mmCIF file of all heavy atoms in Angstrom:
data_model
loop_
_atom_site.group_PDB
_atom_site.id
_atom_site.type_symbol
_atom_site.label_atom_id
_atom_site.label_comp_id
_atom_site.label_asym_id
_atom_site.label_seq_id
_atom_site.Cartn_x
_atom_site.Cartn_y
_atom_site.Cartn_z
ATOM 1 N N ILE O 1 0.882 -1.195 -0.001
ATOM 2 C CA ILE O 1 -0.021 -0.007 -0.017
ATOM 3 C C ILE O 1 0.889 1.215 -0.008
ATOM 4 O O ILE O 1 1.717 1.365 0.959
ATOM 5 C CB ILE O 1 -0.951 -0.020 1.220
ATOM 6 C CG1 ILE O 1 -1.880 -1.220 1.181
ATOM 7 C CG2 ILE O 1 -1.752 1.282 1.296
ATOM 8 C CD1 ILE O 1 -2.654 -1.498 2.442
ATOM 9 N N PRO O 2 0.797 2.069 -1.017
ATOM 10 C CA PRO O 2 1.736 3.212 -1.106
ATOM 11 C C PRO O 2 1.652 4.175 0.045
ATOM 12 O O PRO O 2 0.599 4.302 0.639
ATOM 13 C CB PRO O 2 1.303 3.944 -2.408
ATOM 14 C CG PRO O 2 0.524 2.833 -3.188
ATOM 15 C CD PRO O 2 -0.141 2.047 -2.114
ATOM 16 N N LEU O 3 2.791 4.766 0.399
ATOM 17 C CA LEU O 3 2.822 5.677 1.549
ATOM 18 C C LEU O 3 1.943 6.892 1.352
ATOM 19 O O LEU O 3 1.553 7.546 2.326
ATOM 20 C CB LEU O 3 4.232 6.088 1.854
ATOM 21 C CG LEU O 3 5.040 6.782 0.732
ATOM 22 C CD1 LEU O 3 4.776 8.330 0.840
ATOM 23 C CD2 LEU O 3 6.504 6.507 0.827
ATOM 24 N N TYR O 4 1.648 7.234 0.073
ATOM 25 C CA TYR O 4 0.797 8.426 -0.114
ATOM 26 C C TYR O 4 -0.653 8.224 0.056
ATOM 27 O O TYR O 4 -1.434 9.168 -0.075
ATOM 28 C CB TYR O 4 1.120 8.958 -1.549
ATOM 29 C CG TYR O 4 1.117 7.960 -2.606
ATOM 30 C CD1 TYR O 4 -0.090 7.379 -3.117
ATOM 31 C CD2 TYR O 4 2.335 7.537 -3.218
ATOM 32 C CE1 TYR O 4 -0.057 6.410 -4.093
ATOM 33 C CE2 TYR O 4 2.397 6.582 -4.202
ATOM 34 C CZ TYR O 4 1.158 6.059 -4.647
ATOM 35 O OH TYR O 4 1.216 5.059 -5.597
ATOM 36 N N GLN O 5 -1.056 6.916 0.208
ATOM 37 C CA GLN O 5 -2.476 6.750 0.474
ATOM 38 C C GLN O 5 -2.906 6.980 1.932
ATOM 39 O O GLN O 5 -1.983 7.108 2.750
ATOM 40 C CB GLN O 5 -2.905 5.298 0.074
ATOM 41 C CG GLN O 5 -2.855 5.072 -1.450
ATOM 42 C CD GLN O 5 -3.623 3.905 -1.949
ATOM 43 O OE1 GLN O 5 -4.492 3.411 -1.154
ATOM 44 N NE2 GLN O 5 -3.438 3.388 -3.080
ATOM 45 N N ARG O 6 -4.216 7.103 2.134
ATOM 46 C CA ARG O 6 -4.677 7.405 3.470
ATOM 47 C C ARG O 6 -4.393 6.282 4.456
ATOM 48 O O ARG O 6 -4.313 5.154 4.047
ATOM 49 C CB ARG O 6 -6.183 7.666 3.459
ATOM 50 C CG ARG O 6 -6.561 8.925 2.709
ATOM 51 C CD ARG O 6 -8.058 8.932 2.544
ATOM 52 N NE ARG O 6 -8.455 10.203 1.838
ATOM 53 C CZ ARG O 6 -9.670 10.373 1.331
ATOM 54 N NH1 ARG O 6 -10.587 9.422 1.388
ATOM 55 N NH2 ARG O 6 -9.985 11.493 0.772
ATOM 56 N N PRO O 7 -4.243 6.589 5.754
ATOM 57 C CA PRO O 7 -4.081 5.493 6.728
ATOM 58 C C PRO O 7 -5.337 4.751 6.889
ATOM 59 O O PRO O 7 -6.368 5.009 6.315
ATOM 60 C CB PRO O 7 -3.729 6.313 7.980
ATOM 61 C CG PRO O 7 -4.326 7.655 7.786
ATOM 62 C CD PRO O 7 -4.204 7.950 6.315
ATOM 63 N N TYR O 8 -5.314 3.691 7.727
ATOM 64 C CA TYR O 8 -6.481 2.801 7.928
ATOM 65 C C TYR O 8 -7.564 3.567 8.725
ATOM 66 O O TYR O 8 -7.271 4.129 9.783
ATOM 67 C CB TYR O 8 -6.020 1.574 8.745
ATOM 68 C CG TYR O 8 -7.113 0.554 8.881
ATOM 69 C CD1 TYR O 8 -7.536 -0.178 7.843
ATOM 70 C CD2 TYR O 8 -7.661 0.348 10.139
ATOM 71 C CE1 TYR O 8 -8.537 -1.124 7.951
ATOM 72 C CE2 TYR O 8 -8.628 -0.620 10.306
ATOM 73 C CZ TYR O 8 -9.116 -1.364 9.231
ATOM 74 O OH TYR O 8 -10.092 -2.270 9.389
ATOM 75 N N VAL O 9 -8.762 3.571 8.146
ATOM 76 C CA VAL O 9 -9.808 4.383 8.746
ATOM 77 C C VAL O 9 -11.125 3.584 8.986
ATOM 78 O O VAL O 9 -12.100 4.109 9.507
ATOM 79 C CB VAL O 9 -10.172 5.629 7.904
ATOM 80 C CG1 VAL O 9 -8.980 6.634 7.827
ATOM 81 C CG2 VAL O 9 -10.650 5.191 6.524
ATOM 82 N N TRP O 10 -11.157 2.330 8.664
ATOM 83 C CA TRP O 10 -12.465 1.551 8.919
ATOM 84 C C TRP O 10 -12.640 1.438 10.423
ATOM 85 O O TRP O 10 -11.716 1.420 11.177
ATOM 86 C CB TRP O 10 -12.287 0.199 8.235
ATOM 87 C CG TRP O 10 -12.657 0.214 6.772
ATOM 88 C CD1 TRP O 10 -12.750 1.331 5.958
ATOM 89 C CD2 TRP O 10 -13.009 -0.894 5.955
ATOM 90 N NE1 TRP O 10 -13.133 0.951 4.700
ATOM 91 C CE2 TRP O 10 -13.306 -0.409 4.623
ATOM 92 C CE3 TRP O 10 -13.117 -2.264 6.187
ATOM 93 C CZ2 TRP O 10 -13.660 -1.206 3.574
ATOM 94 C CZ3 TRP O 10 -13.483 -3.129 5.124
ATOM 95 C CH2 TRP O 10 -13.747 -2.601 3.873
ATOM 96 N N ASN O 11 -13.890 1.337 10.791
ATOM 97 C CA ASN O 11 -14.209 1.277 12.239
ATOM 98 C C ASN O 11 -15.335 0.229 12.473
ATOM 99 O O ASN O 11 -15.882 -0.383 11.587
ATOM 100 C CB ASN O 11 -14.735 2.684 12.671
ATOM 101 C CG ASN O 11 -15.879 3.146 11.959
ATOM 102 O OD1 ASN O 11 -16.998 2.520 11.993
ATOM 103 N ND2 ASN O 11 -15.873 4.268 11.250
ATOM 104 N N GLU O 12 -15.601 0.075 13.778
ATOM 105 C CA GLU O 12 -16.508 -1.042 14.140
ATOM 106 C C GLU O 12 -17.939 -0.842 13.605
ATOM 107 O O GLU O 12 -18.516 -1.785 13.061
ATOM 108 C CB GLU O 12 -16.517 -1.125 15.699
ATOM 109 C CG GLU O 12 -17.514 -2.171 16.215
ATOM 110 C CD GLU O 12 -17.510 -2.262 17.748
ATOM 111 O OE1 GLU O 12 -16.645 -1.696 18.426
ATOM 112 O OE2 GLU O 12 -18.464 -2.958 18.279
ATOM 113 N N GLU O 13 -18.448 0.364 13.809
ATOM 114 C CA GLU O 13 -19.912 0.540 13.489
ATOM 115 C C GLU O 13 -20.130 0.395 11.993
ATOM 116 O O GLU O 13 -21.166 -0.250 11.577
ATOM 117 C CB GLU O 13 -20.326 1.940 13.984
ATOM 118 C CG GLU O 13 -21.727 2.259 13.642
ATOM 119 C CD GLU O 13 -22.211 3.636 14.121
ATOM 120 O OE1 GLU O 13 -21.334 4.336 14.700
ATOM 121 O OE2 GLU O 13 -23.362 4.042 13.870
ATOM 122 N N GLN O 14 -19.298 0.945 11.171
ATOM 123 C CA GLN O 14 -19.572 1.028 9.758
ATOM 124 C C GLN O 14 -18.982 -0.196 8.936
ATOM 125 O O GLN O 14 -19.567 -0.499 7.911
ATOM 126 C CB GLN O 14 -18.983 2.300 9.172
ATOM 127 C CG GLN O 14 -19.711 3.554 9.739
ATOM 128 C CD GLN O 14 -19.156 4.859 9.147
ATOM 129 O OE1 GLN O 14 -17.949 5.163 9.299
ATOM 130 N NE2 GLN O 14 -19.954 5.626 8.454
ATOM 131 N N GLN O 15 -17.920 -0.778 9.462
ATOM 132 C CA GLN O 15 -17.279 -1.827 8.632
ATOM 133 C C GLN O 15 -17.066 -3.181 9.382
ATOM 134 O O GLN O 15 -17.479 -4.204 8.916
ATOM 135 C CB GLN O 15 -15.995 -1.355 8.078
ATOM 136 C CG GLN O 15 -16.074 -0.408 6.883
ATOM 137 C CD GLN O 15 -16.122 1.083 7.345
ATOM 138 O OE1 GLN O 15 -15.672 1.371 8.456
ATOM 139 N NE2 GLN O 15 -16.605 1.928 6.498
ATOM 140 N N TRP O 16 -16.413 -3.109 10.610
ATOM 141 C CA TRP O 16 -16.035 -4.382 11.258
ATOM 142 C C TRP O 16 -17.253 -5.229 11.604
ATOM 143 O O TRP O 16 -17.355 -6.411 11.371
ATOM 144 C CB TRP O 16 -15.141 -4.145 12.469
ATOM 145 C CG TRP O 16 -14.032 -3.223 12.268
ATOM 146 C CD1 TRP O 16 -13.381 -2.988 11.072
ATOM 147 C CD2 TRP O 16 -13.352 -2.459 13.255
ATOM 148 N NE1 TRP O 16 -12.370 -2.082 11.274
ATOM 149 C CE2 TRP O 16 -12.319 -1.725 12.593
ATOM 150 C CE3 TRP O 16 -13.552 -2.293 14.624
ATOM 151 C CZ2 TRP O 16 -11.482 -0.866 13.343
ATOM 152 C CZ3 TRP O 16 -12.770 -1.422 15.307
ATOM 153 C CH2 TRP O 16 -11.709 -0.717 14.626
ATOM 154 N N ALA O 17 -18.253 -4.534 12.313
ATOM 155 C CA ALA O 17 -19.415 -5.257 12.789
ATOM 156 C C ALA O 17 -20.264 -5.825 11.643
ATOM 157 O O ALA O 17 -20.636 -6.999 11.640
ATOM 158 C CB ALA O 17 -20.239 -4.341 13.694
ATOM 159 N N PRO O 18 -20.521 -5.030 10.594
ATOM 160 C CA PRO O 18 -21.233 -5.590 9.447
ATOM 161 C C PRO O 18 -20.521 -6.775 8.758
ATOM 162 O O PRO O 18 -21.142 -7.733 8.354
ATOM 163 C CB PRO O 18 -21.307 -4.437 8.452
ATOM 164 C CG PRO O 18 -21.354 -3.156 9.309
ATOM 165 C CD PRO O 18 -20.364 -3.562 10.443
ATOM 166 N N LEU O 19 -19.122 -6.704 8.695
ATOM 167 C CA LEU O 19 -18.418 -7.762 8.130
ATOM 168 C C LEU O 19 -18.547 -9.018 8.986
ATOM 169 O O LEU O 19 -18.750 -10.131 8.471
ATOM 170 C CB LEU O 19 -16.897 -7.366 7.944
ATOM 171 C CG LEU O 19 -15.945 -8.465 7.529
ATOM 172 C CD1 LEU O 19 -16.409 -9.051 6.165
ATOM 173 C CD2 LEU O 19 -14.471 -7.940 7.442
ATOM 174 N N TRP O 20 -18.439 -8.884 10.274
ATOM 175 C CA TRP O 20 -18.554 -9.998 11.175
ATOM 176 C C TRP O 20 -19.958 -10.622 11.080
ATOM 177 O O TRP O 20 -20.158 -11.834 11.096
ATOM 178 C CB TRP O 20 -18.188 -9.709 12.585
ATOM 179 C CG TRP O 20 -18.230 -10.935 13.453
ATOM 180 C CD1 TRP O 20 -19.189 -11.265 14.359
ATOM 181 C CD2 TRP O 20 -17.266 -11.942 13.455
ATOM 182 N NE1 TRP O 20 -18.908 -12.445 14.932
ATOM 183 C CE2 TRP O 20 -17.720 -12.908 14.413
ATOM 184 C CE3 TRP O 20 -16.052 -12.219 12.832
ATOM 185 C CZ2 TRP O 20 -16.992 -14.070 14.683
ATOM 186 C CZ3 TRP O 20 -15.380 -13.362 13.073
ATOM 187 C CH2 TRP O 20 -15.835 -14.313 14.027
ATOM 188 N N GLU O 21 -20.953 -9.743 11.018
ATOM 189 C CA GLU O 21 -22.323 -10.212 10.896
ATOM 190 C C GLU O 21 -22.496 -11.024 9.595
ATOM 191 O O GLU O 21 -23.253 -12.062 9.566
ATOM 192 C CB GLU O 21 -23.340 -9.026 10.937
ATOM 193 C CG GLU O 21 -23.484 -8.399 12.271
ATOM 194 C CD GLU O 21 -24.185 -7.090 12.261
ATOM 195 O OE1 GLU O 21 -24.646 -6.719 11.226
ATOM 196 O OE2 GLU O 21 -24.250 -6.423 13.303
ATOM 197 N N ASP O 22 -21.896 -10.616 8.521
ATOM 198 C CA ASP O 22 -21.946 -11.322 7.246
ATOM 199 C C ASP O 22 -21.303 -12.683 7.358
ATOM 200 O O ASP O 22 -21.774 -13.721 6.858
ATOM 201 C CB ASP O 22 -21.278 -10.535 6.150
ATOM 202 C CG ASP O 22 -22.009 -9.275 5.754
ATOM 203 O OD1 ASP O 22 -23.281 -9.221 5.947
ATOM 204 O OD2 ASP O 22 -21.408 -8.330 5.176
ATOM 205 N N LEU O 23 -20.204 -12.716 8.131
ATOM 206 C CA LEU O 23 -19.512 -13.972 8.337
ATOM 207 C C LEU O 23 -20.333 -14.937 9.222
ATOM 208 O O LEU O 23 -20.439 -16.155 8.931
ATOM 209 C CB LEU O 23 -18.151 -13.665 9.040
ATOM 210 C CG LEU O 23 -17.070 -14.781 9.096
ATOM 211 C CD1 LEU O 23 -16.725 -15.175 7.630
ATOM 212 C CD2 LEU O 23 -15.857 -14.298 9.768
ATOM 213 N N VAL O 24 -21.007 -14.407 10.223
ATOM 214 C CA VAL O 24 -21.875 -15.205 11.033
ATOM 215 C C VAL O 24 -23.080 -15.755 10.254
ATOM 216 O O VAL O 24 -23.414 -16.954 10.409
ATOM 217 C CB VAL O 24 -22.425 -14.401 12.288
ATOM 218 C CG1 VAL O 24 -23.537 -15.121 12.974
ATOM 219 C CG2 VAL O 24 -21.249 -14.088 13.238
ATOM 220 N N ALA O 25 -23.609 -14.960 9.343
ATOM 221 C CA ALA O 25 -24.723 -15.420 8.492
ATOM 222 C C ALA O 25 -24.218 -16.631 7.641
ATOM 223 O O ALA O 25 -24.980 -17.599 7.483
ATOM 224 C CB ALA O 25 -25.222 -14.316 7.622
ATOM 225 N N LEU O 26 -23.047 -16.542 7.148
ATOM 226 C CA LEU O 26 -22.464 -17.596 6.318
ATOM 227 C C LEU O 26 -22.268 -18.905 7.245
ATOM 228 O O LEU O 26 -22.596 -20.001 6.797
ATOM 229 C CB LEU O 26 -21.149 -17.224 5.717
ATOM 230 C CG LEU O 26 -21.164 -16.174 4.589
ATOM 231 C CD1 LEU O 26 -19.752 -15.811 4.195
ATOM 232 C CD2 LEU O 26 -21.964 -16.724 3.398
ATOM 233 N N LEU O 27 -21.820 -18.740 8.437
ATOM 234 C CA LEU O 27 -21.646 -19.806 9.374
ATOM 235 C C LEU O 27 -23.023 -20.492 9.706
ATOM 236 O O LEU O 27 -23.082 -21.745 9.712
ATOM 237 C CB LEU O 27 -21.002 -19.312 10.669
ATOM 238 C CG LEU O 27 -19.490 -18.916 10.567
ATOM 239 C CD1 LEU O 27 -19.082 -18.140 11.823
ATOM 240 C CD2 LEU O 27 -18.629 -20.136 10.355
ATOM 241 N N GLN O 28 -23.973 -19.692 9.937
ATOM 242 C CA GLN O 28 -25.331 -20.180 10.287
ATOM 243 C C GLN O 28 -25.844 -21.014 9.139
ATOM 244 O O GLN O 28 -26.416 -22.124 9.303
ATOM 245 C CB GLN O 28 -26.276 -19.092 10.661
ATOM 246 C CG GLN O 28 -25.950 -18.436 11.956
ATOM 247 C CD GLN O 28 -26.870 -17.246 12.233
ATOM 248 O OE1 GLN O 28 -27.335 -16.606 11.271
ATOM 249 N NE2 GLN O 28 -27.068 -16.903 13.483
ATOM 250 N N HIS O 29 -25.681 -20.472 7.930
ATOM 251 C CA HIS O 29 -26.201 -21.241 6.687
ATOM 252 C C HIS O 29 -25.430 -22.529 6.542
ATOM 253 O O HIS O 29 -26.008 -23.525 6.189
ATOM 254 C CB HIS O 29 -26.072 -20.377 5.524
ATOM 255 C CG HIS O 29 -26.652 -20.948 4.248
ATOM 256 N ND1 HIS O 29 -28.040 -21.008 4.024
ATOM 257 C CD2 HIS O 29 -26.123 -21.585 3.241
ATOM 258 C CE1 HIS O 29 -28.274 -21.632 2.889
ATOM 259 N NE2 HIS O 29 -27.131 -21.990 2.347
ATOM 260 N N GLN O 30 -24.102 -22.447 6.786
ATOM 261 C CA GLN O 30 -23.323 -23.668 6.605
ATOM 262 C C GLN O 30 -23.701 -24.716 7.633
ATOM 263 O O GLN O 30 -23.828 -25.946 7.304
ATOM 264 C CB GLN O 30 -21.827 -23.306 6.744
ATOM 265 C CG GLN O 30 -20.893 -24.414 6.420
ATOM 266 C CD GLN O 30 -19.443 -23.994 6.526
ATOM 267 O OE1 GLN O 30 -19.082 -22.870 6.680
ATOM 268 N NE2 GLN O 30 -18.524 -24.960 6.478
ATOM 269 N N GLU O 31 -23.990 -24.341 8.869
ATOM 270 C CA GLU O 31 -24.430 -25.240 9.865
ATOM 271 C C GLU O 31 -25.752 -25.952 9.523
ATOM 272 O O GLU O 31 -25.941 -27.105 9.763
ATOM 273 C CB GLU O 31 -24.549 -24.549 11.237
ATOM 274 C CG GLU O 31 -23.259 -24.093 11.770
ATOM 275 C CD GLU O 31 -23.504 -23.148 12.962
ATOM 276 O OE1 GLU O 31 -24.648 -22.931 13.376
ATOM 277 O OE2 GLU O 31 -22.484 -22.542 13.468
ATOM 278 N N ASN O 32 -26.663 -25.165 8.922
ATOM 279 C CA ASN O 32 -28.003 -25.670 8.568
ATOM 280 C C ASN O 32 -28.055 -26.410 7.253
ATOM 281 O O ASN O 32 -28.798 -27.379 7.127
ATOM 282 C CB ASN O 32 -29.052 -24.504 8.546
ATOM 283 C CG ASN O 32 -29.134 -23.829 9.871
ATOM 284 O OD1 ASN O 32 -29.015 -24.523 10.874
ATOM 285 N ND2 ASN O 32 -29.436 -22.567 9.879
ATOM 286 N N ALA O 33 -27.205 -25.982 6.261
ATOM 287 C CA ALA O 33 -27.318 -26.571 4.934
ATOM 288 C C ALA O 33 -26.323 -27.643 4.721
ATOM 289 O O ALA O 33 -26.364 -28.407 3.678
ATOM 290 C CB ALA O 33 -27.141 -25.437 3.863
ATOM 291 N N GLY O 34 -25.348 -27.859 5.572
ATOM 292 C CA GLY O 34 -24.320 -28.792 5.360
ATOM 293 C C GLY O 34 -23.470 -28.404 4.202
ATOM 294 O O GLY O 34 -23.199 -27.209 3.935
ATOM 295 N N GLU O 35 -22.992 -29.346 3.397
ATOM 296 C CA GLU O 35 -22.129 -29.080 2.250
ATOM 297 C C GLU O 35 -22.880 -28.700 1.043
ATOM 298 O O GLU O 35 -22.280 -28.330 0.031
ATOM 299 C CB GLU O 35 -21.209 -30.281 1.994
ATOM 300 C CG GLU O 35 -20.286 -30.574 3.145
ATOM 301 C CD GLU O 35 -19.317 -31.765 2.834
ATOM 302 O OE1 GLU O 35 -19.427 -32.266 1.722
ATOM 303 O OE2 GLU O 35 -18.453 -32.012 3.669
ATOM 304 N N SER O 36 -24.153 -28.826 1.003
ATOM 305 C CA SER O 36 -24.943 -28.568 -0.143
ATOM 306 C C SER O 36 -25.527 -27.122 -0.138
ATOM 307 O O SER O 36 -25.976 -26.750 1.024
ATOM 308 C CB SER O 36 -26.114 -29.600 -0.360
ATOM 309 O OG SER O 36 -26.952 -29.537 0.785
ATOM 310 N N GLY O 37 -25.541 -26.490 -1.198
ATOM 311 C CA GLY O 37 -26.157 -25.160 -1.227
ATOM 312 C C GLY O 37 -25.504 -24.106 -0.396
ATOM 313 O O GLY O 37 -26.195 -23.264 0.124
ATOM 314 N N LEU O 38 -24.147 -24.171 -0.319
ATOM 315 C CA LEU O 38 -23.430 -23.185 0.509
ATOM 316 C C LEU O 38 -23.530 -21.787 -0.134
ATOM 317 O O LEU O 38 -23.392 -21.654 -1.354
ATOM 318 C CB LEU O 38 -22.021 -23.613 0.660
ATOM 319 C CG LEU O 38 -21.730 -24.845 1.559
ATOM 320 C CD1 LEU O 38 -20.220 -25.113 1.640
ATOM 321 C CD2 LEU O 38 -22.305 -24.687 2.906
ATOM 322 N N TRP O 39 -23.688 -20.806 0.671
ATOM 323 C CA TRP O 39 -23.649 -19.392 0.235
ATOM 324 C C TRP O 39 -22.183 -18.971 0.129
ATOM 325 O O TRP O 39 -21.300 -19.513 0.719
ATOM 326 C CB TRP O 39 -24.299 -18.494 1.258
ATOM 327 C CG TRP O 39 -25.799 -18.579 1.308
ATOM 328 C CD1 TRP O 39 -26.566 -19.335 0.445
ATOM 329 C CD2 TRP O 39 -26.695 -18.056 2.275
ATOM 330 N NE1 TRP O 39 -27.909 -19.236 0.777
ATOM 331 C CE2 TRP O 39 -27.987 -18.414 1.958
ATOM 332 C CE3 TRP O 39 -26.461 -17.209 3.355
ATOM 333 C CZ2 TRP O 39 -29.057 -18.013 2.677
ATOM 334 C CZ3 TRP O 39 -27.524 -16.805 4.114
ATOM 335 C CH2 TRP O 39 -28.828 -17.174 3.778
ATOM 336 N N SER O 40 -22.000 -17.901 -0.632
ATOM 337 C CA SER O 40 -20.683 -17.178 -0.540
ATOM 338 C C SER O 40 -20.994 -15.717 -0.449
ATOM 339 O O SER O 40 -22.189 -15.326 -0.713
ATOM 340 C CB SER O 40 -19.857 -17.438 -1.853
ATOM 341 O OG SER O 40 -20.552 -17.010 -3.005
ATOM 342 N N HIS O 41 -20.072 -14.915 -0.056
ATOM 343 C CA HIS O 41 -20.319 -13.488 0.180
ATOM 344 C C HIS O 41 -19.283 -12.683 -0.592
ATOM 345 O O HIS O 41 -18.092 -12.932 -0.432
ATOM 346 C CB HIS O 41 -20.265 -13.152 1.615
ATOM 347 C CG HIS O 41 -20.592 -11.769 1.965
ATOM 348 N ND1 HIS O 41 -21.810 -11.178 1.818
ATOM 349 C CD2 HIS O 41 -19.758 -10.738 2.398
ATOM 350 C CE1 HIS O 41 -21.722 -9.908 2.134
ATOM 351 N NE2 HIS O 41 -20.475 -9.597 2.519
ATOM 352 N N PHE O 42 -19.705 -11.730 -1.349
ATOM 353 C CA PHE O 42 -18.842 -10.838 -2.079
ATOM 354 C C PHE O 42 -18.455 -9.597 -1.315
ATOM 355 O O PHE O 42 -19.325 -8.881 -0.796
ATOM 356 C CB PHE O 42 -19.589 -10.416 -3.390
ATOM 357 C CG PHE O 42 -18.835 -9.422 -4.210
ATOM 358 C CD1 PHE O 42 -17.565 -9.693 -4.723
ATOM 359 C CD2 PHE O 42 -19.348 -8.158 -4.463
ATOM 360 C CE1 PHE O 42 -16.886 -8.784 -5.449
ATOM 361 C CE2 PHE O 42 -18.674 -7.202 -5.161
ATOM 362 C CZ PHE O 42 -17.398 -7.528 -5.721
#
């Protein structure tokens, strides 16, 4: 990452918590669906 770009600015409310919630949704679907019909997240 070039030195001229901005420093790290993501935060819990806007990025980390939503990302973890998306990961939890994938985990829940994997637990319920098994190996068939797995979701992915972009």
